[in-house]
Amino acid sequence: MKALTAEWVEKAEGDLHSCLREVRARQHPNPDSACFHAQQCAEKYLKARLQEAGLAFPKTHDLLDLLNRLLAVEPAWTTLSPQLTQLVNYAVVFRYPGISASKADARKALVACRAVRRAVRQSLKLKD
């Protein structure tokens, strides 16, 4: 695995752990933060796979754009589209006043994030 790919994976794992802490928190849980970190985990895992494949990508939070760039090397990943569609707005929507995530939103975001994580880790031949 390329060194930069490994860095993307490490950053993605950090976001996963932040998401898990918020989802599991008994006192002062922050579902908004959990959703944000789930989105960030998925984004960084997609960028890790792009990096490993040598495919260029812009600075973007658009998970569907990242997926479309990957379909040339991972055509079966079209099945991830529903999870990525769910996560795509979490980069911004819950970070500002006006709308807040629920615990149920946070749990759904974690499930979606884990689906993306699993696919990328399998592709990179990493233990789940």
Side-chain angles (χ1 to χ4, degrees):
M1 180 186 316
K2 296 175 183 175
L4 191 52
T5 303
E7 286 185 50
W8 279 112
V9 168
E10 185 177 336
K11 294 284 189 182
E13 286 295 294
D15 281 307
L16 174 66
H17 292 293
S18 293
C19 177
L20 286 168
R21 270 193 302 275
E22 293 304 328
V23 167
R24 294 175 178 163
R26 292 176 188 246
Q27 294 183 346
H28 311 294
N30 187 341
D32 292 350
S33 181
C35 289
F36 171 74
H37 285 291
Q39 185 280 336
Q40 286 291 289
C41 177
E43 177 183 321
K44 290 169 185 165
Y45 263 116
L46 293 175
K47 289 177 177 178
R49 183 63 186 98
L50 285 161
Q51 177 65 42
E52 191 65 14
L55 298 172
F57 56 92
K59 289 184 179 182
T60 183
H61 299 297
D62 186 341
L63 301 180
L64 298 174
D65 175 54
L66 297 172
L67 175 63
N68 286 332
R69 292 170 185 275
L70 277 167
L71 292 179
V73 293
E74 299 287 359
W77 285 10
T78 58
T79 60
L80 293 175
S81 186
Q83 291 90 343
L84 295 173
T85 298
Q86 178 187 348
L87 290 170
V88 76
N89 289 325
Y90 293 166
V92 178
V93 159
F94 296 132
R95 293 178 64 198
Y96 300 101
I99 187 167
S100 295
S102 66
K103 285 185 177 186
D105 290 327
R107 286 190 296 272
K108 288 177 189 173
L110 177 59
V111 169
C113 163
R114 282 182 162 160
V116 175
R117 178 183 181 268
R118 188 177 319 104
V120 176
R121 290 184 70 84
Q122 286 175 352
S123 180
L124 295 174
K125 300 187 181 357
L126 297 171
K127 293 180 182 177
D128 197 26

